[in-house]
Amino acid sequence: MKLRSRIGLTLGMLLSSLALAVPNSASAAALACDNFGCDGHDPNIQSWDSGPVTPHGPYDLGNSFSYELRWGKTDGDQYSWGRFKYISGSGAQDWSVYVQRCTKDHSTCYWRLGLKEGGASGWTAKVPDTANFYQTRTPMYYNPSTHEMRACVENPSGRQYCTPWY
């Protein structure tokens, strides 16, 4: 009996591990979103009720760098994310893009949500109809009416540039 229990336990652990290793269906299809439950998901695979649009930006940083805050509404909820645009070979891998979310009174804030380095695998795409421009995006984060968000980029020396709050 002990051997059976041990084999069953081992088999159960193996199957659980395999289930965790299977890619999330979000990588293949849009998710049904519910408030903070979609925090951290890829906005590029989402289906949108309205948007996505750019309420703030793009802001020019010089040297072919710019950043913006993106916004969209899905399943009746609002989400925001940041996007960093740059030219190939510009050293963008030394920059970071992320979003910040706070309650309207700023009593509770999250400062570096979705941090991605320029060129991050799976979060970077070529800008359509350009020779060699790319953009790296952050994941999307819930932006209810009780909160506000902004997108930020950070250069190699640690200087932060942020959009206005939205």
Side-chain angles (χ1 to χ4, degrees):
M1 210 52 162
K2 269 188 172 180
L3 180 59
R4 259 192 218 194
S5 295
R6 195 172 280 163
I7 289 172
L9 180 62
T10 303
L11 185 58
M13 290 173 57
L14 178 63
L15 290 174
S16 294
S17 297
L18 288 173
L20 290 174
V22 173
N24 185 327
S25 63
S27 62
L31 297 171
C33 281
D34 183 31
N35 301 324
F36 295 98
C38 277
D39 276 2
H41 291 293
D42 189 342
N44 273 19
I45 60 165
Q46 193 62 44
S47 59
W48 296 101
D49 302 335
S50 60
V53 296
T54 299
H56 290 303
Y59 295 101
D60 186 2
L61 294 164
N63 298 322
S64 300
F65 293 124
S66 67
Y67 67 105
E68 62 189 330
L69 178 70
R70 301 284 288 161
W71 175 93
K73 192 172 195 179
T74 184
D75 296 328
D77 292 324
Q78 302 177 82
Y79 293 86
S80 293
W81 60 98
R83 195 160 66 179
F84 174 52
K85 183 179 170 186
Y86 48 90
I87 197 165
S88 178
S90 61
Q93 70 278 2
D94 297 327
W95 287 66
S96 299
V97 60
Y98 48 90
V99 291
Q100 298 177 337
R101 178 173 57 202
C102 291
T103 53
K104 295 272 182 159
D105 65 2
H106 284 235
S107 61
T108 304
C109 294
Y110 298 91
W111 298 112
R112 295 170 72 84
L113 293 170
L115 177 74
K116 299 291 177 200
E117 293 177 348
S121 178
W123 297 94
T124 300
K126 188 174 183 308
V127 177
D129 303 322
T130 66
N132 53 353
F133 274 90
Y134 292 83
Q135 52 196 10
T136 299
R137 66 195 172 279
T138 70
M140 59 193 237
Y141 290 89
Y142 183 45
N143 188 6
S145 60
T146 56
H147 289 66
E148 56 188 2
M149 292 185 67
R150 66 182 182 175
C152 299
V153 292
E154 191 173 297
N155 71 14
S157 64
R159 182 165 180 202
Q160 177 181 284
Y161 304 86
C162 295
T163 68
W165 291 98
Y166 181 74

